């Protein structure tokens, strides 16, 4: 995998996704055995670019790189000449002369694709408007730990089923043979995504479908939600809250899902909106394990992809 970009996870075959997760689990085991510093990329540098705010991604990816022996440069696009109009292509060409891997959080997925096209080093997606692949790896590791298996997970995502997180869960679900129920208003359904995943789903036995019925959470292994107003969609806030309020994850939804279901949220959460305090702080919630796993999966991605 060395030298490859990670933009969506669609570009990785199912065994490669499993390999990244096995590597993540191994890094986590070694971390708890006291082997935190594993400098396999000593002396190399990771450049992290953020067009949007971040807590988990910024810190976990930086710490992961340090723990692999790397130097880290973090900058917002406003701190780079990008903010004054230097092209993405020229930025990619320049940075490739200094660093061994570039990771970026961007508003437009197309900018990430352009960065990857012109960079001669690997480019990793730290969230775009279309995908959040590193988060989905952390989610899969969390479910593996809590459910004791990596394949055949049944997950219901409630709320904004057209967003980047729903898309990335569908992608990883297709790679790992999961049943993904994307439950939310029909006008947000991204039917094209389901067809893009058809080949992987046929190979792994995954089943990915949309529904408007909250009752479809019944019997799942995991209930997942995300903010209703993603970064960049603030102008639509009022309308989205109205549209999505029937899909709030509250005690009734968790009871419908059943006691076997764990609750996941990529965070940050808007408590009282897409999820109640009672659920996110309740006994079925695994959100802090999920947040921790951003570190171990970022470490695996940097370890595997950095040349
Ligand atoms: N889940 C996630 O990406 O969190 P941050 O926005 O804090 O990085």
């Amino acid at each position: 995998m060395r030298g490859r970009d990670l933009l969506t996870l669609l570009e990785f075959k199912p065994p490669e996704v499993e390999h990244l997760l096995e590597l993540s689990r191994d890094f986590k085991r070694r971390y708890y055995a006291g082997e935190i510093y594993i400098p396999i990329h000593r002396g190399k540098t990771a450049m992290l670019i953020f067009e949007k705010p971040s807590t988990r991604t910024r810190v976990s990816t930086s710490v992961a790189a340090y723990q692999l022996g790397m130097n880290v440069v973090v900058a917002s696009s406003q701190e780079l000449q990008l903010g004054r109009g230097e092209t993405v292509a020229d930025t990619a060409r320049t940075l490739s002369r200094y660093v061994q891997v570039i990771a970026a959080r961007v508003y437009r997925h197309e900018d990430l694709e352009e960065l990857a096209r012109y960079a001669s080093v690997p480019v990793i997606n730290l969230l775009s408007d279309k995908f959040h692949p590193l988060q989905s790896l952390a989610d899969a590791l969390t479910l593996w730990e809590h459910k004791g298996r990596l394949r055949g997970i049944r997950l219901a995502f409630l709320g904004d089923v057209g967003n980047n997180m729903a898309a990335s869960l569908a992608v990883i679900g297709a790679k790992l043979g999961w049943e993904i129920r994307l439950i939310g208003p029909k006008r947000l359904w991204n039917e094209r995504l389901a067809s893009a995943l058809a080949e992987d789903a046929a190979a792994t036995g995954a089943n990915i479908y949309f529904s408007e019925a909250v009752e479809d959470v019944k019997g799942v292994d995991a209930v997942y939600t995300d903010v209703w107003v993603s970064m960049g969609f603030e102008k639509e806030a009022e309308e989205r809250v109205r549209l999505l309020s029937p899909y709030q994850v509250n005690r009734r939804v968790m009871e419908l899902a059943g006691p076997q279901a764990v609750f996941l949220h990529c965070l940050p959460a808007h408590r009282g909106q897409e999820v109640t305090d009672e659920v996110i702080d309740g006994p079925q919630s695994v959100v802090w394990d999920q947040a921790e796993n951003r570190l171990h999966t970022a470490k695996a991605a940097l370890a595997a992809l950095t040349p």
Side-chain angles (χ1 to χ4, degrees):
M1 287 187 209
R2 288 201 192 280
R4 284 174 65 184
D5 300 320
L6 197 175
L7 300 189
T8 68
L9 215 59
L10 277 165
E11 60 276 55
F12 288 79
K13 294 186 177 7
E16 293 173 329
V17 174
E18 285 187 24
H19 171 71
L20 285 172
L21 289 165
E22 280 159 7
L23 199 54
S24 306
R25 194 168 72 156
D26 194 47
F27 275 129
K28 187 168 184 177
R29 184 188 56 72
R30 291 169 73 177
Y31 183 92
Y32 279 101
E35 208 183 343
I36 294 170
Y37 190 60
I38 305 172
I40 57 172
H41 288 312
R42 194 197 304 272
K44 298 177 189 173
T45 300
M47 173 85 217
L48 312 185
I49 303 171
F50 288 88
E51 284 187 348
K52 301 178 179 188
S54 169
T55 297
R56 279 143 288 271
T57 306
R58 177 177 173 144
V59 178
S60 64
T61 311
S62 301
V63 172
Y66 288 129
Q67 291 180 1
L68 293 169
M70 304 177 84
N71 305 302
V72 181
V73 181
V74 184
S76 71
S77 49
Q78 288 308 311
E79 290 169 301
L80 302 173
Q81 296 288 10
L82 262 176
R84 293 179 60 243
E86 185 168 22
T87 66
V88 171
D90 288 353
T91 303
R93 291 180 180 112
T94 304
L95 293 177
S96 298
R97 300 294 178 110
Y98 307 138
V99 305
Q100 283 67 49
V101 60
I102 302 170
R105 168 167 288 198
V106 299
Y107 280 101
R108 292 169 6 102
H109 191 77
E110 293 74 15
D111 287 341
L112 202 62
E113 289 174 333
E114 193 173 349
L115 196 60
R117 195 173 315 124
Y118 290 97
S120 56
V121 298
V123 171
I124 297 176
N125 182 357
L126 297 180
L127 181 145
S128 71
D129 56 335
K130 298 219 168 66
F131 297 100
H132 197 0
L134 289 191
Q135 179 67 54
S136 69
L137 284 170
D139 303 339
L141 178 61
T142 308
L143 287 169
W144 192 6
E145 291 168 347
H146 282 274
K147 289 288 148 190
R149 64 187 196 280
L150 194 48
R151 291 187 158 267
I153 295 286
R154 287 167 302 167
L155 180 147
F157 179 95
L158 271 81
D160 185 1
V161 292
N163 81 4
N164 49 7
M165 205 54 252
S168 278
L169 288 166
V171 171
I172 203 158
K175 303 287 177 185
L176 298 172
W178 291 2
E179 181 180 323
I180 304 273
R181 308 174 189 178
L182 298 162
I183 303 172
K186 195 163 196 168
R187 58 175 269 203
L188 299 179
W189 293 8
N190 178 3
E191 310 263 21
R192 275 192 312 178
L193 177 70
S195 55
L197 301 174
E199 193 181 323
D200 277 326
T204 64
N207 184 14
I208 294 150
Y209 57 91
F210 289 93
S211 165
E212 284 196 297
V214 173
E215 291 68 28
D216 282 345
V217 296
K218 198 163 176 226
V220 292
D221 297 302
V223 176
Y224 198 120
T225 192
D226 189 7
V227 293
W228 289 343
V229 185
S230 295
M231 287 179 277
F233 290 86
E234 288 79 4
K235 280 190 197 141
E236 301 167 24
E238 210 172 299
E239 192 195 343
R240 282 179 164 263
V241 170
R242 196 171 45 248
L243 184 68
L244 293 166
S245 54
Y247 298 96
Q248 182 190 64
V249 178
N250 49 35
R251 191 202 318 189
R252 186 183 78 86
V253 169
M254 292 309 293
E255 281 172 1
L256 266 174
Q260 77 295 335
V262 293
F263 171 73
L264 293 104
H265 191 307
C266 52
L267 305 175
H270 286 201
R271 288 164 175 262
Q273 211 166 73
E274 75 275 4
V275 62
T276 58
D277 284 339
E278 195 178 18
V279 169
I280 198 168
D281 296 328
Q284 287 166 280
S285 174
V286 296
V287 299
W288 308 118
D289 291 342
Q290 186 185 2
E292 177 189 334
N293 284 338
R294 293 298 310 272
L295 171 63
H296 309 296
T297 45
K299 214 162 163 180
L302 286 170
L305 302 174
T306 305

